[in-house]
Amino acid sequence: MAMLDTAITETETLTVAKQSRRRRGVRVHFTQFKWLYLLLLPGIVYFVLFRYWPMYGAIIAFKEYIPFLGISDSPWVGFAHFEDFFTSPDFPRLLANTLILALLSLLIAFPLTIIVALLLNELRVTVLKRTTQTLLYVPHFLSWTVVASLTYLLFALDVGPLFQLINGMLGTDINFLADPAWFRPIIVLQDIWKNTGWGTIIFLAALAGVDQAQYEAAIIDGAGRFQRVWHITLPSIMPTIIVMLVLQMGQILNTGFEQIYLMTNSLNRSVADVFDTYVYFMGITQGSYSYSTAVGLFKAVVGVVLIFGANWIAKRFNQAGIF
């Protein structure tokens, strides 16, 4: 018994010593990197106040929210708002419009960002490269209000330069701003013009890390420029492409409110209504706070599921995911 008691005592002593060393190590770590944690503090405060704390209000999606009663005292209705939304005749139209715009952006705008980054990377004249990059970045800093205003000026009925040019070449009289068939092409072109240049920044940073010795070896072996891009450049930045693609999948139902809202009118509403604008119309203009919150919560849940799904698929193909 004495030996057993001694062993237990030694074990407890070792456990206490390990815990003491761990606490001391944590104190030393925080003391050593205290300024880095201080710099991290504003970001943590921002996410807590503006990202996590507002999630509490999402419970009104399961309540019949009455402003005079407040969130906690409003009566529970369970999944009634979700059922109303899924059985609404608006749901198929909203889902189709949102997915079509998201897929067009994913299939056209996203690859174009990579292509532009590859083209910029191949420029050898520094002045030309920097000038081109600057010109491509400038549209990103314009608000969607300015972009929409420019679009209205260019395609204005009878007086817009592009209206006159395209209709003159085709021999037609199309009102591009009101024709539902032209709404999606205009939205995609706006997105490309505004965001493509800015989106190349991450890919250019990834391209800067490609080992130049591989290019030199490929040149010695007689590989042409296209072959070097295909066999060296693209495989080297593939992890970055996969990560950006996974993040893009999480935003597939987030087509952007401001751009769509500014380009929507009574004539193209059949193809312009998406989840973002629907939440605004139902929540702000009609006061259906609980119903619009349910729609927004559905969109957020689908985004999370798509991120995890895309990340799982990337892992299955031996690619680096985001976690």
Side-chain angles (χ1 to χ4, degrees):
M1 290 294 296
M3 294 179 63
L4 181 60
D5 292 339
T6 303
I8 293 174
T9 303
E10 291 178 353
T11 302
E12 292 176 349
T13 303
L14 289 173
T15 302
V16 172
K18 288 180 180 178
Q19 292 176 348
S20 177
R21 285 197 300 270
R22 190 179 297 112
R23 286 194 295 268
R24 187 165 56 253
V26 171
R27 286 198 300 270
V28 171
H29 176 79
F30 275 95
T31 302
Q32 183 179 0
F33 299 103
K34 59 183 178 181
W35 298 115
L36 292 179
Y37 282 106
L38 187 62
L39 290 174
L40 184 64
L41 186 61
I44 295 175
V45 172
Y46 167 79
F47 275 95
V48 169
L49 291 180
F50 298 103
R51 298 293 182 179
Y52 290 100
W53 178 249
M55 288 184 183
Y56 169 73
I59 65 172
I60 68 173
F62 306 95
K63 292 188 170 191
E64 188 60 52
Y65 176 65
I66 301 173
F68 297 104
L69 296 179
I71 295 177
S72 12
D73 294 330
S74 296
W76 288 92
V77 295
F79 291 93
H81 297 301
F82 293 93
E83 294 175 0
D84 292 341
F85 176 56
F86 294 142
T87 57
S88 167
D90 293 327
F91 178 72
R93 178 172 57 87
L94 293 169
L95 183 62
N97 291 341
T98 304
L99 287 179
I100 290 173
L101 285 174
L103 290 176
L104 287 174
S105 176
L106 192 65
L107 296 176
I108 299 176
F110 182 74
L112 191 59
T113 303
I114 302 171
I115 293 171
V116 172
L118 293 174
L119 293 174
L120 287 173
N121 188 60
E122 293 299 316
L123 289 177
R124 294 295 176 258
V125 181
T126 305
V127 175
L128 177 61
K129 182 177 181 179
R130 300 302 180 192
T131 303
T132 305
Q133 284 181 276
T134 303
L135 293 175
L136 290 173
Y137 294 164
V138 167
H140 175 77
F141 298 98
L142 300 177
S143 69
W144 280 117
T145 305
V146 174
V147 175
S149 300
L150 291 174
T151 304
Y152 277 101
L153 289 174
L154 292 172
F155 290 98
L157 193 63
D158 296 330
V159 296
L162 291 182
F163 173 88
Q164 295 176 340
L165 176 63
I166 298 176
N167 282 322
M169 293 174 60
L170 299 178
T172 57
D173 192 23
I174 303 172
N175 185 356
F176 299 99
L177 298 174
D179 190 347
W182 281 91
F183 176 79
R184 289 165 182 153
I186 289 176
I187 292 295
V188 174
L189 288 174
Q190 284 181 337
D191 189 35
I192 290 173
W193 183 72
K194 188 176 189 296
N195 296 322
T196 298
W198 187 256
T200 61
I201 292 177
I202 295 177
F203 296 111
L204 287 172
L207 289 168
V210 179
D211 187 4
Q212 297 299 313
Q214 298 184 47
Y215 292 116
E216 295 172 1
I219 293 173
I220 294 174
D221 290 338
R225 177 166 291 186
F226 179 79
Q227 291 175 315
R228 295 198 298 270
V229 170
W230 184 260
H231 295 288
I232 297 176
T233 307
L234 282 177
S236 298
I237 66 171
M238 188 56 66
T240 304
I241 294 175
I242 295 298
V243 169
M244 297 305 297
L245 182 60
V246 170
L247 294 175
Q248 187 82 2
M249 290 298 296
Q251 299 291 324
I252 199 167
L253 294 185
N254 187 18
T255 52
F257 165 76
E258 189 175 356
Q259 179 192 13
I260 306 296
Y261 178 76
L262 291 171
M263 297 304 300
T264 300
N265 54 60
S266 58
L267 297 176
N268 63 17
R269 189 175 296 277
S270 59
V271 297
D273 278 340
V274 293
F275 289 123
D276 291 315
T277 55
Y278 186 71
V279 168
Y280 169 78
F281 287 125
M282 296 302 296
I284 304 299
T285 63
Q286 298 190 22
S288 301
Y289 302 114
S290 296
Y291 181 80
S292 59
T293 302
V295 177
L297 187 59
F298 160 75
K299 200 181 75 167
V301 170
V302 170
V304 172
V305 171
L306 288 175
I307 284 182
F308 278 91
N311 188 77
W312 179 81
I313 292 174
K315 293 289 188 180
R316 293 283 292 180
F317 285 91
N318 298 320
Q319 296 293 335
I322 60 175
F323 47 81

